[in-house]
Amino acid sequence: MEPHWLSAPEDRAWRAFVYAHHRLEVHLSRRLQESGLSGADYEVLAVLSALDGDRMSARDLGNALDWEKSRVSHQVRRMQSDGLIRREPNPGDARSTMVCLLPAGRAAIEKAAPGHVADVRRNFLDLMTPAELDILTALHERILHHLDDDGSPGEVDSS
């Protein structure tokens, strides 16, 4: 069976999406590094700082970030050595660990967040009208729902 290749407009749309996403991620990560945080540090700190109690299980953190267990473990270990977070036993489940935001972690995200948000606005949000943002949101949510509902990787819906 011959592959269903992308048409020129489809290829252009796909490549523009992939390249823009990549370039934006690289740009935002570089700017975050100026404040002393990596993109991964910022993601972890943003999740923890939004919680009452500034803590959650490592498993829940991994689920919130859609990261593999090994990535969470490596990132948490590194951030603990940097004094941003700490790990402690989970009182509700002896098999898991709690990840806790430390004052230095809160200070780091509070320092980085205003510049990061300004950068997101300048390089993404401000480039679109409110109607375009609504469309973009709807399209990306459609993709996310499809991926959440798709129980069989690799299969194509032929309907």
Side-chain angles (χ1 to χ4, degrees):
M1 182 168 157
E2 182 68 22
H4 186 115
W5 299 112
L6 301 181
S7 68
E10 290 169 336
D11 186 63
R12 180 177 173 218
W14 174 245
R15 290 176 187 270
F17 167 76
V18 169
Y19 191 56
H21 178 265
H22 173 75
R23 291 276 311 270
L24 185 58
E25 285 290 321
V26 167
H27 173 82
L28 293 174
S29 290
R30 283 186 185 140
R31 295 293 302 254
L32 275 172
Q33 287 175 349
E34 293 171 10
S35 68
L37 295 177
S38 70
D41 293 340
Y42 189 89
E43 288 184 66
V44 169
L45 294 175
V47 169
L48 292 174
S49 66
L51 298 170
D52 289 333
D54 295 338
R55 68 186 60 226
M56 72 187 321
S57 73
R59 181 181 307 119
D60 290 343
L61 180 63
N63 289 339
L65 297 170
D66 199 21
W67 288 1
E68 296 291 327
K69 182 179 178 180
S70 60
R71 182 175 181 195
V72 173
S73 179
H74 173 76
Q75 182 67 31
V76 166
R77 191 172 24 259
R78 194 182 61 68
M79 291 177 73
Q80 184 171 1
S81 70
D82 290 344
L84 301 172
I85 60 174
R86 78 167 176 266
R87 291 178 291 180
E88 60 186 39
N90 184 344
D93 181 0
R95 298 170 294 155
S96 70
T97 301
M98 296 298 289
V99 180
C100 309
L101 182 66
L102 293 175
R106 177 161 301 282
I109 194 154
E110 287 176 354
K111 175 185 170 195
H116 181 66
V117 170
D119 218 17
V120 169
R121 285 194 179 286
R122 183 174 45 260
N123 295 290
F124 182 72
L125 299 171
D126 292 347
L127 301 176
M128 293 172 235
T129 67
E132 289 171 330
L133 282 174
D134 288 344
I135 291 168
L136 187 65
T137 300
L139 294 172
H140 284 103
E141 287 174 347
R142 183 185 308 162
I143 293 167
L144 292 170
H145 286 105
H146 170 78
L147 293 172
D148 287 343
D149 294 343
D150 186 20
S152 51
E155 289 186 22
V156 178
D157 182 6
S158 60
S159 56

